[in-house]
Amino acid sequence: NIVCIIVGTRPGIIKMSPLIRECEHRGLEHFVLHTGQHYSPEMDNVFFRDLGLKLPKHHLKHIREYVTHGAKTGMMLMGIEKLLMEERPRVVLVCGDANTNLAGALAARKLHCIIGHVESGLRSNDWRMPEEHNRVIMDHISELLFAPTEETAQNLRKDNVRGKIIVTGNTIVDAVMQNIKIARSKSTILLDLGLKNNSYFLMTIHREENVDNPYILADLIECIKLVIRFFKKEIIFPLHPRTGKRLKEFGLTERLDSIKGLRIIEPLGYLDMLVLLEQCAVVLTDSGGLQEEACILEVPCVTLRENTERPETVLVGANVIAGTNPRTVKAAVEKMLSVARTWTNPLGDGRAAERIIDEVQKVLKDDVSGLPC
Ligand code: UD1
Ligand code: UDP
């Protein structure tokens, strides 16, 4: 197999799905390697089902036993290296900023594979974030830097990276376009939850800087209370496993459970998520992917963080950075409830996968290194 596509987390599976499809469509020899970083069925398996993907050829199953960033990344690095040595792909594609992708890029670098970093050049400039460390390292060791936007390409130029920068659009646009109609026709989530469009807010939180800090997590609970009380709308809250674990550890579960108007649900599959997002009044989130999808689906977004690596969404008026202070968040929701949903999506035209695989095929054709992986 010539191209290895590395996945391992929920957003990675979603954002790589258009590339897997494109390889299949062109008959380009490839295989998928799953690092096992995410493993609960609702964080992993459901996306293969919803996106109609074959199960990965390789799947590391032991990563869940490890807790720290170093141990997880190290174990993934070792597992990926072994598999790459067996498979000997020429190109390794990684997407985004999770530890999975850092491990994949490092393994590929050491074996002299050509690394393509999909969703390259994003910067929050927030050095508290593990994702920011991963992005910077990956961008410096990759040959092909697939920047979703001109702004992200500019970040890469500023960082003086050595790889080739190609502006492609974000594959999340491809994923939304490929799945939204299917979602509308198949998902029964609104009926299941008894929701009418525009009658509720959607909320997700899972960022380490937010949920691993008990004070910030407590502030976010206050945000939920205030927003429900002030706007008299329900909040639907699919709970990320990390957040669930932290709530328990910090003894905050009961405080959250007792809020009237808050509905805590299991993490959703992709089709249900797209429908629930498309029909909500405003989404409140610290997720990267949801900031993007909200912008694509013309849903106003309030970002529960101090910064974003997706400033394009803010610039077009689709997103506002609210932090985690309840009063600021309430004001942001108020503003976004009355915003005209007329912005132009700055994240791509749905053909990012096509451009990325064009470039991969070009590189494979021109590759005269003769280097095996
Ligand atoms: C990871 C990524 C983050 C991304 C997020 C997407 C890193 C550094 N972080 O964060 O950038 O936004 O995925 O959701 O790679 N857990 C489960 N089941 C699972 C997955 C996780 O129970 O399927 C629990 C485990 O207790 C685990 C914890 O959540 O230790 C954190 O998981 P981890 O993959 O380390 O980080 P995420 O918070 O998911
Ligand atoms: N998502 C989902 N179900 C959920 C929560 C999120 O399908 O319950 C999707 C969401 O639509 C987006 C992606 O998962 O495509 C975002 O993942 P997450 O928020 O975990 O990570 P991030 O994008 O912040 O890295």
Side-chain angles (χ1 to χ4, degrees):
N1 282 307
I2 297 177
V3 178
C4 169
I5 298 176
I6 295 195
V7 299
T9 62
R10 168 165 79 184
I13 300 165
I14 295 166
K15 286 178 174 176
M16 282 299 203
S17 68
L19 291 169
I20 299 171
R21 262 181 221 281
E22 192 63 26
C23 288
E24 282 170 356
H25 175 67
R26 296 189 192 194
L28 176 62
E29 223 183 305
H30 69 284
F31 69 97
V32 177
L33 191 167
H34 192 312
T35 63
Q37 180 176 344
H38 284 176
Y39 51 87
S40 307
E42 66 279 10
M43 296 295 287
D44 172 23
N45 216 285
V46 64
F47 296 100
F48 287 87
R49 191 198 64 205
D50 276 11
L51 295 160
L53 300 173
K54 282 192 237 142
L55 290 180
K57 178 166 185 195
H58 297 287
H59 198 152
L60 304 172
K61 300 273 184 176
H62 57 290
I63 304 303
R64 69 176 73 181
E65 296 157 30
Y66 298 87
V67 177
T68 62
H69 285 290
K72 276 190 211 184
T73 310
M75 293 313 292
M76 289 192 276
L77 171 60
M78 278 169 66
I80 296 168
E81 181 181 60
K82 184 167 174 287
L83 291 167
L84 293 185
M85 284 167 79
E86 280 166 29
E87 290 277 1
R88 301 168 88 82
R90 193 68 200 102
V91 173
V92 174
L93 296 178
V94 288
C95 172
D97 50 26
N99 290 337
T100 283
N101 310 300
L102 175 64
L106 277 174
R109 179 72 289 121
K110 298 291 179 192
L111 292 168
H112 305 285
C113 301
I114 297 166
I115 308 168
H117 184 197
V118 178
E119 203 181 59
S120 175
L122 275 67
R123 294 288 181 272
S124 65
N125 298 307
D126 182 344
W127 209 237
R128 292 173 306 165
M129 295 179 73
E131 293 86 355
E132 185 74 356
H133 313 152
N134 294 349
R135 287 179 202 121
V136 170
I137 301 169
M138 289 165 68
D139 285 339
H140 280 280
I141 63 173
S142 299
E143 275 84 4
L144 301 175
L145 300 157
F146 299 114
T149 61
E150 192 43 52
E151 288 84 346
T152 49
Q154 199 49 38
N155 291 337
L156 292 168
R157 288 183 205 112
K158 258 196 261 161
D159 270 11
N160 225 354
V161 293
R162 53 198 302 153
K164 178 175 176 191
I165 301 165
I166 307 114
V167 179
T168 58
N170 196 312
T171 58
I172 194 69
V173 184
D174 308 27
V176 170
M177 286 183 173
Q178 286 167 14
N179 293 289
I180 187 71
K181 283 199 189 122
I182 303 172
R184 284 179 196 137
S185 72
K186 277 199 181 166
S187 169
T188 56
I189 189 76
L190 292 180
L191 211 62
D192 298 346
L193 296 178
L195 294 168
K196 289 205 194 76
N197 68 340
N198 241 11
S199 69
Y200 61 93
F201 298 126
L202 175 63
M203 175 159 165
T204 77
I205 47 168
H206 73 279
R207 294 248 89 80
E208 188 174 289
E209 340 56 274
N210 276 346
V211 305
D212 283 20
N213 180 326
Y215 301 104
I216 297 185
L217 194 51
D219 275 351
L220 285 163
I221 295 176
E222 291 309 308
C223 289
I224 294 175
K225 280 191 194 158
L226 183 60
V227 165
I228 293 176
R229 202 174 62 227
F230 191 83
F231 298 102
K232 310 222 170 345
K233 281 188 198 289
E234 275 190 299
I235 293 184
I236 311 298
F237 188 49
L239 189 64
H240 190 287
R242 176 186 209 104
T243 311
K245 284 184 183 161
R246 295 297 174 260
L247 285 164
K248 274 203 197 104
E249 269 171 46
F250 301 146
L252 291 169
T253 310
E254 273 175 31
R255 207 190 290 182
L256 194 72
D257 286 348
S258 66
I259 303 175
K260 274 214 190 93
L262 173 69
R263 273 208 259 172
I264 304 170
I265 57 174
E266 291 288 302
L268 292 166
Y270 195 49
L271 302 182
D272 286 340
M273 191 59 180
L274 282 179
V275 168
L276 207 58
L277 175 63
E278 192 180 35
Q279 299 301 335
C280 76
V282 170
V283 59
L284 295 91
T285 190
D286 62 11
S287 158
L290 277 169
Q291 288 175 63
E292 294 163 348
E293 288 162 339
C295 183
I296 298 161
L297 292 171
E298 297 176 342
V299 175
C301 179
V302 170
T303 293
L304 303 168
R305 290 175 47 187
E306 306 301 332
N307 48 57
T308 182
E309 52 290 305
R310 277 107 176 152
E312 301 87 346
T313 59
V314 178
L315 281 172
V316 298
N319 188 9
V320 61
I321 305 303
T324 54
N325 173 292
R327 278 194 308 190
T328 323
V329 168
K330 188 206 99 186
V333 172
E334 197 158 26
K335 175 179 167 195
M336 293 316 274
L337 270 173
S338 62
V339 81
R341 303 178 175 204
T342 50
W343 55 80
T344 308
N345 160 28
L347 301 172
D349 59 1
R351 292 177 53 206
E354 216 179 295
R355 294 188 189 95
I356 291 167
I357 300 300
D358 276 350
E359 187 63 30
V360 168
Q361 289 191 305
K362 187 160 159 277
V363 165
L364 283 170
K365 193 164 144 268
D366 294 347
D367 181 36
V368 288
S369 69
L371 273 177
C373 168

